Amino acid sequence: MQATLSEQEVVRREKLKELHELGIDPYPAPLFEITHTAKLIKDEYTDDKQEAFKNISIAGRVMSVRDMGKANFAVLQDSTARIQLYIKRDDICPGEDKTLFNTVWKKLIDIGDVIGVKGYVFTTKTGETSIHVEQFTLLTKSLRPLPVVKEKDGELYDAVTDLEFKYRQRYADLIVNPGVRDTFIKITKMKNAIRTFLNDRGALEVDTPVLQSIPGGAIARPFITHHNALDIPLYLRIANELYLKRLIVGGFDWVYEFSRNFRNEGMDRTHNPEFTILEFYVAYKDYLWMMETTEQMLEQTAIATNGSTKSVVNGVEIDFKAPFKRISIYDAIKEHTGIDISEMDEEGLRGVCKQLHIETDASMGKGKLIDEIFGGKCEKHYVQPTFIIDYPIEMSPLTKKHRSKPGLVERFELIVNGKEIANAYSELNDPIDQRERFEEQVALMERGDEEAMYIDHDFLRALEYGMPPTAGIGFGIERLAMLLTGQVSIQDVLLFPQMRPERGEGN
């Protein structure tokens, strides 16, 4: 049921009625031929190029109007930039009938309306590149007023900052805050750069199932649904790892996927229940090769996104220039707590957690306890890109045992600005070892660990056919986007972040 209309909304509907009465369709057929964009005009026009900028056609949204009697200045915003319009009564109404200017333009056109204009480009006495309008057409009547954003000398200085509005009404946020649009354009550049890096090296982009009978490939709590035709429970994927490894078994040497994943967990500035992971798996490689490849890819991606290896987040400069620092997780914990936990059992680790005032519960095994210590006391210190390497076997049920360090696995996490950005392994390809690791996860589940892994029997069957030695990695795309666009909240790099429904929504 529609909420009560505001005074401005009522007025706009009255204007809509007047337009119909004048025989003007406020929502005409969509075809409007566009010859130029605002950015193209502002970038390329000079007074000695007047001939090239005659008879131009542009469309966009009216963002402001200055009424000067028989002439008006307005600002038009298209998908590229904002540009000034000069609208003179006798130019758009050369005959006796001045209705189009006096009534339609001055009384019935509102800020937020979408119009198309034709005319020529010139430079005003104040030096501003502008369009002298000879014709204009109403393309869409806006029935809801935009939030007020103050502007001075063509620059916004009071952009909308209300988070409830920004995240719930992203469409309006994009209209009034051009910087938000720029952020998402950068994110697209980032993804394209990653794809180019991988494709140029022979990787194959693939798609794997979102609905899965077993939520595998990560330690996380899944969303559960039900398939009516098959009468079975299904899970929204928490990771695509096990399916991509099946493709390595099948004979592909390098596969990758931008995977939309879902985890039924908490929400904060770096977590959203729906998010994107890039995972790729490469046969006959190991985690050492993967570290070098990760450095190269991120350095090139940063340059493609920002024109530099450097990015600034909340006043802190981060440099993705390779190579990155490397340190083992045990050494990292010793460095920041003064405690060597490398030889401790579960009981000893619980004592360390108590000493460091880290909360634990009975469901946590050795791996979870170490993870809590590192996350609580160490992770925040790694601001510049750093590989944390050589994890305990208990923390990594899908990882190959270390070739020279008993009790460890060949794994790294990439930490940037105090948060994990990527997680990589020399992949476990021993089906017997893998089954034992899965069974250990089941034991943790029986202790109450809701994030422990299920046994995926089909994946074990695939491994029994033989998976070549393989390196694999998963990148948190939104976290990487935050770093490269200078955002401090994951909601600012998601076009439509998850929110509670508004009252009455969905009825």
Side-chain angles (χ1 to χ4, degrees):
M1 190 172 182
Q2 185 166 322
T4 303
L5 297 177
S6 68
E7 181 180 348
Q8 288 193 53
E9 289 171 318
V10 170
V11 169
R12 289 188 180 221
R13 281 161 174 77
E14 291 172 351
K15 292 181 179 181
L16 183 70
K17 182 180 178 182
E18 289 185 57
L19 288 166
H20 281 298
E21 291 172 349
L22 288 170
I24 297 173
D25 183 355
Y27 307 103
L31 179 61
F32 183 85
E33 184 177 356
I34 295 172
T35 62
H36 292 69
T37 65
K39 186 176 188 304
L40 175 70
I41 294 169
K42 296 175 83 169
D43 286 350
E44 298 190 6
Y45 176 78
T46 56
D47 288 340
D48 60 357
K49 295 182 180 179
Q50 289 180 354
E51 285 297 318
F53 286 86
K54 284 186 174 180
N55 303 315
I56 67 107
S57 176
I58 187 172
R61 196 179 295 272
V62 178
M63 298 305 292
S64 67
V65 177
R66 282 184 289 147
D67 190 346
M68 304 175 68
K70 295 181 181 180
N72 282 184
F73 284 101
V75 172
L76 184 80
Q77 175 177 288
D78 68 6
S79 63
T80 65
R82 295 183 176 192
I83 193 165
Q84 181 170 268
L85 307 179
Y86 175 68
I87 304 172
K88 189 175 180 181
R89 184 191 67 179
D90 293 337
D91 286 343
I92 65 171
C93 302
E96 293 296 322
D97 185 358
K98 307 298 183 184
T99 302
L100 186 61
F101 183 83
N102 291 338
T103 302
V104 178
W105 173 258
K106 296 190 72 172
K107 296 181 179 179
L108 302 182
I109 296 295
D110 289 301
I111 292 174
D113 289 354
V114 179
I115 64 171
V117 303
K118 296 182 179 181
Y120 61 89
V121 183
F122 73 107
T123 303
T124 67
K125 292 179 180 179
T126 60
E128 183 165 358
T129 300
S130 305
I131 299 172
H132 189 123
V133 178
E134 295 175 308
Q135 300 177 43
F136 86 87
T137 304
L138 176 62
L139 301 176
T140 301
K141 181 63 184 169
S142 172
L143 299 183
R144 185 182 291 268
L146 292 172
V148 175
V149 177
K150 297 175 184 177
E151 184 175 350
K152 185 177 182 180
D153 299 327
E155 297 293 330
L156 299 179
Y157 66 94
D158 188 26
V160 173
T161 56
D162 181 274
L163 297 183
E164 175 75 12
F165 164 81
K166 286 170 65 68
Y167 300 151
R168 196 176 294 283
Q169 298 186 48
R170 180 68 84 187
Y171 36 86
D173 182 37
L174 288 165
I175 294 169
V176 300
N177 290 334
V180 174
R181 185 167 58 248
D182 293 342
T183 291
F184 289 101
I185 291 171
K186 275 190 172 184
I187 292 171
T188 296
K189 288 181 179 179
M190 179 192 81
K191 292 178 181 177
N192 288 343
I194 292 171
R195 281 190 165 95
T196 297
F197 179 93
L198 295 173
N199 293 341
D200 286 352
R201 286 157 179 75
L204 180 70
E205 184 171 10
V206 298
D207 291 307
T208 63
V210 174
L211 288 173
Q212 302 180 353
S213 58
I214 295 174
I219 297 175
R221 183 187 301 173
F223 287 93
I224 305 173
T225 186
H226 186 83
H227 191 288
N228 291 334
L230 295 177
D231 192 26
I232 58 170
L234 288 175
Y235 303 86
L236 293 178
R237 69 178 168 200
I238 58 175
N240 55 347
E241 175 172 342
L242 301 188
Y243 281 94
L244 293 178
K245 287 181 181 178
R246 286 169 168 93
L247 297 179
I248 298 295
V249 171
F252 292 112
D253 282 344
W254 190 340
V255 292
Y256 76 93
E257 181 178 17
F258 282 87
S259 168
R260 203 66 172 172
N261 292 351
F262 307 85
R263 297 182 183 178
N264 197 356
E265 299 168 345
M267 297 172 59
D268 57 33
R269 295 172 73 139
T270 58
H271 293 86
N272 194 68
E274 178 182 0
F275 61 98
T276 303
I277 292 285
L278 164 70
E279 295 203 21
F280 61 82
Y281 294 81
V282 193
Y284 310 110
K285 304 297 182 184
D286 63 10
Y287 82 135
L288 299 173
W289 175 91
M290 187 64 81
M291 275 188 264
E292 294 177 358
T293 301
T294 297
E295 291 170 337
Q296 296 167 14
M297 187 181 81
L298 292 184
E299 181 177 324
Q300 291 185 30
T301 298
I303 293 171
T305 305
N306 291 321
S308 167
T309 60
K310 297 178 181 178
S311 178
V312 177
V313 182
N314 206 22
V316 177
E317 184 179 86
I318 296 169
D319 194 347
F320 285 93
K321 177 71 176 175
F324 302 162
K325 177 182 177 179
R326 303 180 185 187
I327 185 172
S328 75
I329 189 170
Y330 281 151
D331 286 344
I333 290 173
K334 185 175 181 180
E335 179 178 301
H336 295 290
T337 68
I339 302 172
D340 184 355
I341 66 167
S342 59
E343 302 296 329
M344 289 187 181
D345 58 14
E346 183 177 320
E347 183 178 352
L349 291 169
R350 288 189 181 279
V352 170
C353 288
K354 184 176 181 180
Q355 178 183 341
L356 298 175
H357 307 289
I358 295 172
E359 292 187 9
T360 63
D361 61 56
S363 71
M364 293 180 177
K366 184 176 178 180
K368 266 289 188 69
L369 294 170
I370 295 171
D371 194 35
E372 290 294 315
I373 294 170
F374 178 78
K377 299 299 178 180
C378 307
E379 195 172 47
K380 62 186 177 184
H381 296 289
Y382 297 102
V383 175
Q384 299 304 318
T386 302
F387 291 122
I388 306 299
I389 66 173
D390 297 346
Y391 281 67
I393 193 170
E394 293 85 357
M395 297 180 70
S396 313
L398 297 171
T399 312
K400 185 182 285 289
K401 292 177 181 176
H402 201 287
R403 66 195 75 180
S404 62
K405 299 176 181 178
L408 303 182
V409 294
E410 297 191 346
R411 172 188 176 186
F412 70 79
E413 286 189 358
L414 174 61
I415 309 296
V416 188
N417 203 28
K419 292 294 179 183
E420 175 201 341
I421 304 303
N423 188 20
Y425 315 146
S426 293
E427 301 294 337
L428 177 58
N429 61 342
D430 179 342
I432 296 175
D433 189 359
Q434 182 64 83
R435 183 179 295 276
E436 292 173 353
R437 307 269 196 101
F438 276 148
E439 288 171 350
E440 290 169 1
Q441 288 290 303
V442 170
L444 290 173
M445 191 179 297
E446 291 172 349
R447 289 173 57 174
D449 188 343
E450 295 180 345
E451 296 182 345
M453 286 189 185
Y454 292 68
I455 295 181
D456 187 332
H457 292 284
D458 179 70
F459 174 66
L460 290 171
R461 177 169 58 190
L463 284 186
E464 288 172 356
Y465 281 101
M467 184 176 80
T470 298
I473 193 166
F475 292 86
I477 288 298
E478 283 84 9
R479 289 189 179 182
L480 181 58
M482 289 167 62
L483 292 168
L484 293 181
T485 61
Q487 303 301 318
V488 296
S489 171
I490 193 171
Q491 285 75 22
D492 289 320
V493 296
L494 292 165
L495 281 167
F496 300 102
Q498 195 67 45
M499 300 188 73
R500 291 185 186 276
E502 293 180 275
R503 183 176 298 176
E505 193 171 283
N507 291 344

